[in-house]
Amino acid sequence: MTPKDPGPVYCLNPGCGNPIGRSAGSGRPRNYCSDACGRAYRRAREKSPTPDTLAHDAFAAQVADDLARVVAHMLQLTRDRQPLSALTLLRLVEGDLEDLKAALIQQARDQRQKNADIAQCLGLPSEQITRKLSADAVRRRIESRPLRTRTRVRLPRQAASPPTLAPRTVSAARIPGHRRTPDGAADVTPSRARDPARHRAGPAAVLTRALAHLQHVSGKTRRELADDTGVSASYVSRVLSGERCPSWKVARLFTLACEGDPAEVRPLWEAARAHLPVQRQSLPAALRGLHLAAARPPADELGEHTRLTAHAITGMFHGTAVPSWEDVEELAHALDAEAQPLRPLWNAACAAVAAPLSSAGGPVTEVIG
């Protein structure tokens, strides 16, 4: 049996990214490659919002908006005397409340608020904030939201946000010509990618498909891959059959042995392991990873299954602009993969777009569908 390998851990300073050597002792694990690097990052964070801070703000606004919509729909169901439908939504509300609590706690910590003050607002002992709602626990809660199975309820679409929420300035960096329309008519082209009855592959299955495709195009035998990765041939067989999820060390060596790009496989591995990403990843790389797992179908073929143009799909793979979440979701579905694991990367891409305007004193913008 191959020994467990957690893979490399990288410095949390976005401008650094150096690997961190973590010992197997019982001490607190290091988050930065050096004390000086950690101090520099904290000083920069205090002076201006970091991409992480902007992503946390966008996440909190998104959860609050989702919660407001669900509660408004529950109110209507209650008035219409539909208790079973309202109870179904109650599960979603309870999860959203916990996510919103985590998001607000993270916002408060981004603003350098003390744990004692946060605990006082929640009516909890300060020790509980430190122990059960630590920074790591809150971060895991935020990152796990897209990976959790949520109650699938079709809520009525709203033209605007609920009146209790302040309107947000929208300035989307859209890919030109992103939607196909017949003879310039309205966007009514049906999308087979959005068929609700169509089964989507989960993160683990997507990773398995990607590794299997790499092995197929490389022409290498499982024995050769075992020699390249330093594991047994039977272990390679279990990985390619989906029985085992390899460590990142093995997955990376496997990808390199097949002449693949580890940057495309890393987001798939993170989603399969339900891990908090330990290094900066991009949305285009994750989309290329899904493309790899689907055996890289041509863009025009994908366009036939969606309302996206081939030009828009190619642009999403290369990151020429930040697409709307609706377009990301549609492309993921066309590649037979779940879209929600991409949500944190999309939030980070939106935050990166908003960062220059925010630091210059302009309105914070977000890319929306």
Side-chain angles (χ1 to χ4, degrees):
M1 181 178 294
T2 305
K4 293 183 178 180
D5 173 31
V9 179
Y10 296 87
C11 180
L12 292 185
N13 186 343
C16 176
N18 291 327
I20 303 174
R22 288 188 174 179
S23 62
S26 59
R28 184 176 180 180
R30 296 180 61 88
N31 291 323
Y32 305 96
C33 60
S34 66
D35 293 340
C37 190
R39 287 193 297 269
Y41 174 57
R42 287 189 289 271
R43 285 195 299 267
R45 186 175 61 182
E46 292 174 357
K47 291 181 180 179
S48 61
T50 65
D52 284 343
T53 299
L54 294 172
H56 296 154
D57 294 343
F59 176 83
Q62 179 66 48
V63 174
D65 183 60
D66 291 344
L67 181 60
R69 290 186 61 220
V70 176
V71 170
H73 193 47
M74 279 189 62
L75 176 61
Q76 187 61 46
L77 291 174
T78 303
R79 290 172 176 172
D80 293 343
R81 297 175 58 82
Q82 300 183 39
L84 295 182
S85 298
L87 285 173
T88 301
L89 284 181
L90 186 61
R91 294 172 52 201
L92 193 59
V93 170
E94 291 172 346
D96 284 347
L97 282 173
E98 290 299 316
D99 289 341
L100 184 58
K101 179 169 71 172
L104 294 176
I105 290 175
Q106 186 61 54
Q107 272 191 321
R109 284 174 173 154
D110 289 341
Q111 298 174 10
R112 318 303 294 171
Q113 302 292 339
K114 297 180 179 179
N115 281 339
D117 296 334
I118 299 174
Q120 183 177 4
C121 293
L122 293 173
L124 299 174
S126 180
E127 296 78 11
Q128 186 170 348
I129 292 292
T130 304
R131 186 176 66 258
K132 294 186 178 181
L133 295 172
S134 65
D136 288 339
V138 169
R139 191 181 301 114
R140 286 193 299 269
R141 178 81 195 189
I142 292 175
E143 293 296 336
S144 67
R145 176 180 170 89
L147 303 178
R148 292 196 303 273
T149 302
R150 291 165 58 83
T151 305
R152 296 189 178 276
V153 179
R154 292 185 177 273
L155 299 179
R157 295 182 65 86
Q158 298 180 358
S161 300
T164 54
L165 297 178
R168 298 176 66 84
T169 303
V170 178
S171 176
R174 302 299 296 273
I175 299 175
H178 67 295
R179 293 263 170 189
R180 290 188 292 110
T181 56
D183 300 327
D187 186 10
V188 294
T189 306
S191 172
R192 284 176 282 170
R194 290 189 173 275
D195 182 4
R198 189 176 179 183
H199 175 70
R200 311 294 174 194
V206 170
L207 175 64
T208 300
R209 291 190 327 201
L211 296 178
H213 180 67
L214 284 174
Q215 189 252 348
H216 174 72
V217 297
S218 70
K220 290 191 173 184
T221 66
R222 298 185 177 185
R223 171 63 63 184
E224 291 173 333
L225 290 174
D227 294 338
D228 291 336
T229 55
V231 298
S232 65
S234 62
Y235 185 81
V236 172
S237 298
R238 290 195 293 271
V239 168
L240 293 176
S241 64
E243 296 179 18
R244 289 292 182 90
C245 183
S247 68
W248 171 240
K249 179 181 178 180
V250 172
R252 181 177 179 274
L253 291 174
F254 187 104
T255 304
L256 293 175
C258 296
E259 299 183 355
D261 184 1
E264 297 177 355
V265 177
R266 183 62 186 247
L268 308 184
W269 180 85
E270 294 287 356
R273 285 292 188 97
H275 281 183
L276 175 68
V278 296
Q279 64 180 2
R280 300 304 173 200
Q281 300 163 349
S282 66
L283 178 63
L287 291 174
R288 293 197 303 272
L290 296 185
H291 191 221
L292 167 67
R296 292 196 172 103
D300 54 354
E301 180 180 325
L302 289 172
E304 295 176 358
H305 293 269
T306 68
R307 291 172 292 181
L308 299 170
T309 64
H311 174 73
I313 292 172
T314 302
M316 292 168 70
F317 287 145
H318 292 88
T320 55
V322 179
S324 69
W325 172 247
E326 182 184 20
D327 293 350
V328 172
E329 187 177 37
E330 186 143 352
L331 179 57
H333 288 176
L335 295 169
D336 290 325
E338 295 179 355
Q340 283 303 319
L342 298 172
R343 193 67 189 237
L345 298 180
W346 182 81
N347 287 340
C350 294
V353 172
L357 291 178
S358 176
S359 59
V364 176
T365 61
E366 63 179 346
V367 183
I368 65 173

